[in-house]
Amino acid sequence: MVVGMATRAHTDGVRLAGQAAEVRREIGNDWWIPLVRRLSRGRWRVRGRPVVRDLGSPWQDTVASERTGWRTRAAWLHGEQVFAVDYRVCRRCRIGWVESPATFEPYRRCGLATAGLLALRADHPGLTWHTLGGHFPVSQPFWESVGSGVPGGYEQGPLCPHVDRG
């Protein structure tokens, strides 16, 4: 029974990875939050975090719940988020950053992260891609694999002056 469930999860995950270019986007942007924070010299803070919600599409692009000004690209299956990565782009500097890619255990090794990052790059062509933090030794093979042939290679890179950490 467990083997059958694992096979089903893998099959569902591979099918979902194949749909990564079909993304529903949540309209809305919290671009004004860093502006107000800057104008108030850091005295104003957002209370609470955006709620992660299912938009009814297998792949979704929404406001990030953990980082102000960032977005989340996520895959949903059977009403559950099975993959997510936060990202931010600066069109002026032609740089993109991704942070905290995570795949729910039964759906790992199905190509969700690779497909999600590929679709994200396709939506933002011509950017150099980085991450903010160092990579854990256990995740190094993942980053080498998804960064192969990608400008910037998802190497650690600082934010530009136009973007804040959130």
Side-chain angles (χ1 to χ4, degrees), residues 6 41 46 49 64 75 91 94 96 104 136 152:
R41 293 190 176 99
V46 176
R49 297 177 185 221
R91 296 184 199 299
R94 310 290 303 153
F104 186 55
F136 293 113

Side-chain angles (χ1 to χ4, degrees), residues 1-138:
M1 183 71 171
V2 173
V3 173
M5 288 172 47
T7 302
R8 165 91 188 215
H10 183 79
T11 302
D12 288 348
V14 169
R15 184 177 38 78
L16 184 59
Q19 299 171 323
E22 303 166 25
V23 180
R24 177 176 278 173
R25 289 169 178 77
E26 177 180 49
I27 297 176
N29 192 334
D30 51 1
W31 59 268
W32 56 273
I33 294 173
L35 176 65
V36 172
R37 189 181 300 154
R38 198 171 308 126
L39 291 173
S40 71
R41 293 190 176 99
R43 290 186 301 266
W44 185 81
R45 290 277 178 211
V46 176
R47 297 191 201 288
R49 297 177 185 221
V51 176
V52 177
R53 59 192 185 95
D54 183 356
L55 299 178
S57 174
W59 285 88
Q60 302 173 25
D61 196 284
T62 61
V63 173
S65 64
E66 297 291 321
R67 295 175 175 86
T68 303
W70 288 60
R71 296 200 54 88
T72 298
R73 179 65 57 100
W76 288 73
L77 193 60
H78 309 301
E80 292 185 320
Q81 191 178 72
V82 297
F83 166 76
V85 64
D86 289 349
Y87 75 94
R88 181 73 190 254
V89 298
C90 178
R91 296 184 199 299
R92 201 178 324 174
C93 295
R94 310 290 303 153
I95 301 172
W97 298 267
V98 296
E99 276 297 300
S100 307
T103 306
F104 186 55
E105 181 62 47
Y107 300 97
R108 290 188 182 154
R109 311 239 184 302
C110 296
L112 292 171
T114 300
L117 293 171
L118 178 66
L120 192 57
R121 292 192 309 270
D123 286 350
H124 303 280
L127 300 184
T128 301
W129 289 92
H130 297 283
T131 63
L132 294 180
H135 302 152
F136 293 113
V138 68

Side-chain angles (χ1 to χ4, degrees), residues 152-166:
Y154 297 112
E155 294 290 327
Q156 184 176 359
L159 290 172
C160 70
H162 311 112
V163 173
D164 69 12
R165 271 190 186 278

